[in-house]
Amino acid sequence: MNMHPRALEHAYSTLDHVIPNESELTAGVRIEAGRSYGFFTDTTVCIGCKACEVACKEWNNLPADNIGLTGQSFDNTGALSANSWRHVAFVEKSGANGLRGGQDQKFQSGWLMMSDVCKHCHNAPCLEACPTGALFKTEFDTVVVQQDICNGCGYCVPACPFGVIDVSTVDGKAHKCTLCYDRLKGGLEPACAKSCPTDSIQFGELSDLQIRAAERVEHLHGIGVDSAYLYGTPGAPGATGDLGHLNAFFLLIDRPEVYNLPAAPTRPANRVAPSLATGLATVAALALASAFLFAPQRGERP
Amino acid sequence: MTYVKEGVVTIVQESRFQLTDDNGVSHLFLLDRNAAAEPAQLAPLQARQARVRVTYEPARNLIGLVARSVRLLPPSQAR
Ligand code: SF4
Ligand code: SF4
């Protein structure tokens, strides 16, 4: 096992202090302001344990919501919401596109599991829609809602192409994953990535993660999983419609829609100019039509 | 129906806080939009480990409690 040399400095199981730059030991990355951080979620190694969901709720002091059974496989979280910032999707299907093909027991389903989260979009539509400036880009290139500035107008909710951000019915403010902004400031890896037992969620500097993800896709292709591809890296599906790239991106082995992700998300801001032009053209056309209709006819008295 | 709990604010995240009562049991509260307190006032309470009295109602479809008011207890009532 590779152990970071700094780990020897902290050999006791009870500590009276926070380990400085702990993320170096747990994720192999030092967190520094001005750099770009994100998540690489490799869905092929997710086992659906929901440790990420629990770690997120624990750290962020979020209540369990959606009480009851959804009837959707082992998924009782249902969807991302103001109180659920990680959601493990369970897609039951046979064969799982060659990954576990032929190894399933008779009548046993194949599984696609994916821990969904805010994508921390490069050109974040939620941030563009926010009239108060409550949503902002942090020094770690992540997208966070400032609670004291949010007025709960909810403009960000329909602007998000992934259906992530949500306004709480209790405090009336918008909430979503902060990529553990408070932990990053303290040099700690985000709670979900730290708790993931299979490293399906990997935290790190975006450029490193993108290289690591490309190598993983190549490896999977090499062992016969031709369906593996990245969602959200520059030029890939998910990073469409001027979104730039997603700081939280995924490795998938089926169509995005199967995981409840949009195939080609877009920035709603792109539609402002065409909508405005269409509106102005309609007004002009109606004005012209009424001028013809109601103009005095030849021979008629004005 | 409104209830009351007293204890120490032990965790604060945005408008959510954890109150640990005298029996050592922790409860998760969400500050109501009309509460007689602001989310920004919660962090100093946690930092001071002050005793507070919270009036609350159960939340719908959430395992949490909706705080209607958070009042600092005078030192005489603090243990
Ligand atoms: S996924 Fe949605 S909530 Fe997250 S940054 Fe992008 S637009 Fe905003
Ligand atoms: S609800 Fe809050 S974060 Fe969303 S657009 Fe309105 S002010 Fe901005």
Side-chain angles (χ1 to χ4, degrees):
Chain A
M1 197 182 104
N2 291 335
M3 192 167 66
H4 196 283
R6 273 194 55 218
L8 295 172
E9 297 165 19
H10 309 280
Y12 301 103
S13 48
T14 46
L15 298 170
D16 57 1
H17 61 278
V18 175
I19 297 173
N21 294 309
E22 196 209 66
S23 66
E24 239 174 18
L25 307 183
T26 62
V29 62
R30 186 183 276 245
I31 301 165
E32 284 166 355
R35 292 175 180 261
S36 190
Y37 296 92
F39 290 129
F40 161 41
T41 305
D42 180 351
T43 63
T44 58
V45 289
C46 177
I47 54 170
C49 68
K50 305 192 198 185
C52 50
E53 281 194 23
V54 176
C56 177
K57 295 249 182 205
E58 276 291 319
W59 180 263
N60 292 299
N61 204 32
L62 288 160
D65 61 358
N66 237 343
I67 299 163
L69 299 173
T70 60
Q72 290 288 333
S73 190
F74 287 110
D75 176 12
N76 287 310
T77 306
L80 292 172
S81 72
N83 301 301
S84 294
W85 299 350
R86 272 265 173 206
H87 165 227
V88 181
F90 287 75
V91 183
E92 287 191 51
K93 60 173 287 182
S94 193
N97 270 7
L99 195 62
R100 286 170 281 244
Q103 291 172 21
D104 296 339
Q105 306 256 332
K106 225 176 179 185
F107 305 121
Q108 187 182 340
S109 302
W111 296 92
L112 296 179
M113 294 153 190
M114 184 194 84
S115 181
D116 199 7
V117 71
C118 167
K119 317 299 178 284
H120 294 273
C121 312
H122 180 61
N123 295 322
C126 59
L127 183 151
E128 292 176 332
C130 179
T132 63
L135 275 148
F136 77 112
K137 274 264 167 157
T138 70
E139 63 272 38
F140 307 115
D141 196 26
T142 56
V143 181
V144 172
V145 188
Q146 296 174 88
Q147 293 298 311
D148 51 345
I149 300 177
C150 174
N151 67 5
C153 67
Y155 288 6
C156 51
V157 177
C160 172
F162 303 98
V164 169
I165 196 162
D166 186 24
V167 174
S168 162
T169 51
V170 177
D171 72 357
K173 291 175 190 282
H175 297 273
K176 68 167 197 75
C177 159
T178 65
L179 215 137
C180 281
Y181 187 35
D182 50 354
R183 290 177 66 91
L184 296 194
K185 284 194 280 192
L188 297 164
E189 179 183 8
C192 54
K194 191 175 172 184
S195 71
C196 179
T198 63
D199 259 352
S200 172
I201 304 170
Q202 296 178 34
F203 165 78
E205 221 177 304
L206 199 56
S207 47
D208 289 348
L209 290 179
Q210 287 171 346
I211 294 168
R212 211 183 292 169
E215 285 169 0
R216 173 72 180 153
V217 170
E218 221 168 276
H219 170 76
L220 285 171
H221 287 175
I223 59 170
V225 188
D226 297 329
S227 53
Y229 67 97
L230 297 177
Y231 180 93
T233 47
T240 45
D242 274 351
L243 285 175
H245 57 261
L246 310 179
N247 279 31
F249 63 96
F250 301 83
L251 188 157
L252 309 176
I253 54 164
D254 207 328
R255 289 175 300 117
E257 299 93 318
V258 173
Y259 300 86
N260 203 22
L261 291 169
T266 54
R267 267 170 82 209
N270 286 358
R271 296 189 282 278
V272 172
S275 308
L276 191 67
T278 314
L280 289 176
T282 310
V283 169
L286 286 173
L288 213 61
S290 56
F292 275 117
L293 279 174
F294 302 114
Q297 301 294 312
R298 192 188 291 247
E300 220 179 68
R301 279 196 177 177
Chain B
M1 184 83 175
T2 311
Y3 304 88
V4 177
K5 266 194 207 305
E6 286 180 14
V8 174
V9 178
T10 40
I11 298 176
V12 173
Q13 283 284 19
E14 301 185 333
S15 58
R16 305 172 296 277
F17 64 97
Q18 177 181 279
L19 186 91
T20 304
D21 67 20
D22 296 336
N23 298 321
V25 180
S26 295
H27 310 272
L28 198 166
F29 285 93
L30 297 98
L31 207 55
D32 183 60
R33 62 169 79 204
N34 299 317
E38 284 294 319
Q41 292 174 304
L42 295 171
L45 290 179
Q46 188 269 335
R48 284 168 55 189
Q49 296 280 291
R51 273 183 68 79
V52 294
R53 176 178 294 144
V54 182
T55 54
Y56 69 94
E57 285 175 17
R60 279 191 57 222
N61 206 22
L62 287 180
I63 303 183
L65 306 166
V66 181
R68 299 272 187 232
S69 72
V70 182
R71 285 191 205 292
L72 197 59
L73 289 176
S76 58
Q77 282 178 265
R79 295 199 178 167

